[in-house]
Amino acid sequence: MSDSPLAANPYEVLGVSPTASDDELKRAYRVALRKAHPDTGGSAAQFDAVQRAWQRVGSPSARNAYDSGADAGSVSRAWSQSGGGASGPQRYDSRPSAKSHGHPGGWYREQYLDHIREWVGRGADLPDPFDDALVRSAPRQIRHLLAAAIAEERSAAALATLGMGFTIWHDVLAGSTRDDKLDHVVLGPTGLWAVLSEDWGTAVSVKRGEVIGEGLAPGEKPLALLGSRARVLARAGRVKFSALAIVVEDDQAAQSLTELGTVRGAQGLLLQRSRLVNAIRTGLPGVGVGGTDLFEVRTRLQSAVRFV
């Protein structure tokens, strides 16, 4: 199972309540397996997901371990960590990292903790706000806050490997409220990049130059929103963005890099996270800081950037 807080849990995959009896669980498994089989209109991925769900809750011992958060797939420790999580990129060399400012994922973690405590009930005992069972039972909008934080942290860990020629600002204010923020602003020889790190919990695709998917809210337009926020910072710093990149988990996008068209001269992109560093390091044809001196752009940004 995916370690995303938005990933469907085994009960959701099997289509039953967590309180279902063992017999109900078995019947649901058989039905789900038939529906998911490629010969009956399903797919290999769906069939595999049903089988993995059954492995985690199909026996009394496995179910008890899963419900208590003690099974081998428990990820609460990774959820509680910042700076990339358990599966975030790790550095094993001594080369200088890119210069970074700000706290990636910090604002979303702050929002998650506020909302999970309010949902549980103010004053209620909450020894571990990242407990697997607690996170799974929380409403989707709360789980999305944690998923977004982890996505930012993983992208930040990857961006740090760009090297000393790049400067990165995380969680940059780009509007009148803290909700209006840019996850990452990256400046280097290949231009000025605005980056949105997301995890919608489902696969996404592209339609008419915009990212779409079942996990997005009705009317949500990620590229348009990223462009409008980048424009706020561009005006404040008297700079021009070269590219707008939306980064998702590798299994949520069909291609490693998909061009989305341009937004006020900035190239829009949908990237798998594993492609993020390479895309920024190598750049895009015709994309760069233009005739403006890199040092001048950095100085302007340093004066304009405010953090959420």
Side-chain angles (χ1 to χ4, degrees):
M1 308 293 286
S2 168
D3 64 352
S4 168
L6 287 175
N9 64 50
Y11 297 111
E12 291 172 332
V13 172
L14 297 175
V16 296
S17 165
T19 60
S21 68
D22 290 344
D23 287 340
E24 290 172 331
L25 193 64
K26 290 177 182 178
R27 286 195 295 270
Y29 168 62
R30 296 189 187 104
V31 171
L33 204 60
R34 285 197 299 271
K35 290 182 178 180
H37 198 283
D39 293 340
T40 57
S43 67
Q46 293 172 332
F47 191 74
D48 181 60
V50 171
Q51 290 181 311
R52 286 186 285 117
W54 179 250
Q55 289 174 357
R56 297 187 72 180
V57 298
S59 69
S61 58
R63 187 176 185 182
N64 181 65
Y66 176 82
D67 290 343
S68 65
D71 73 323
S74 174
V75 292
S76 61
R77 182 172 299 176
W79 289 347
S80 67
Q81 295 172 339
S82 61
S87 60
Q90 303 293 320
R91 286 180 59 85
Y92 298 103
D93 57 63
S94 58
R95 290 177 295 179
S97 299
K99 189 172 184 179
S100 298
H101 308 273
H103 186 182
W107 185 78
Y108 275 127
R109 281 191 178 270
E110 176 185 317
Q111 293 297 299
Y112 168 77
L113 291 172
D114 284 346
H115 283 76
I116 197 72
R117 287 176 178 132
E118 182 176 347
W119 178 68
V120 171
R122 292 291 179 180
D125 184 31
L126 191 61
D128 182 6
F130 301 101
D131 174 74
D132 285 14
L134 175 66
V135 174
R136 292 190 199 106
S137 63
R140 178 182 172 84
Q141 60 267 32
I142 295 180
R143 289 183 285 135
H144 187 206
L145 292 170
L146 181 56
I150 294 171
E152 284 189 26
E153 291 160 1
R154 290 175 175 171
S155 290
L159 290 170
T161 68
L162 280 169
M164 61 187 302
F166 291 84
T167 305
I168 309 165
W169 296 265
H170 303 291
D171 268 4
V172 175
L173 186 65
S176 56
T177 70
R178 297 182 72 193
D179 291 317
D180 300 316
K181 76 179 186 71
L182 291 168
D183 295 349
H184 321 277
V185 176
V186 184
L187 175 65
T190 58
L192 179 60
W193 296 62
V195 180
L196 167 67
S197 295
E198 255 295 359
D199 176 3
W200 285 289
T202 60
V204 297
S205 57
V206 176
K207 183 178 182 180
R208 297 175 183 174
E210 185 57 274
V211 175
I212 62 172
E214 293 182 0
L216 279 69
E220 186 175 358
K221 297 181 178 181
L223 182 62
L225 183 60
L226 179 59
S228 65
R229 291 177 177 175
R231 188 160 60 249
V232 170
L233 181 61
R235 288 173 177 171
R238 295 177 291 114
V239 297
K240 183 178 180 180
F241 277 90
S242 310
L244 309 173
I246 297 173
V247 182
V248 296
E249 300 295 330
D250 284 12
D251 61 356
Q252 293 180 3
Q255 300 179 29
S256 64
L257 185 154
T258 304
E259 294 190 3
L260 302 176
T262 59
V263 178
R264 293 182 177 269
Q267 176 65 57
L269 300 168
L270 173 64
L271 296 172
Q272 293 179 350
R273 182 169 292 107
S274 62
R275 182 67 182 276
L276 174 61
V277 170
N278 177 263
I280 295 180
R281 182 177 286 148
T282 59
L284 301 168
V287 174
V289 292
T292 307
D293 182 78
L294 193 63
F295 177 78
E296 182 182 345
V297 175
R298 185 182 296 110
T299 301
R300 291 178 183 177
L301 282 172
Q302 289 284 29
S303 298
V305 164
R306 299 291 182 273
F307 299 103
V308 298

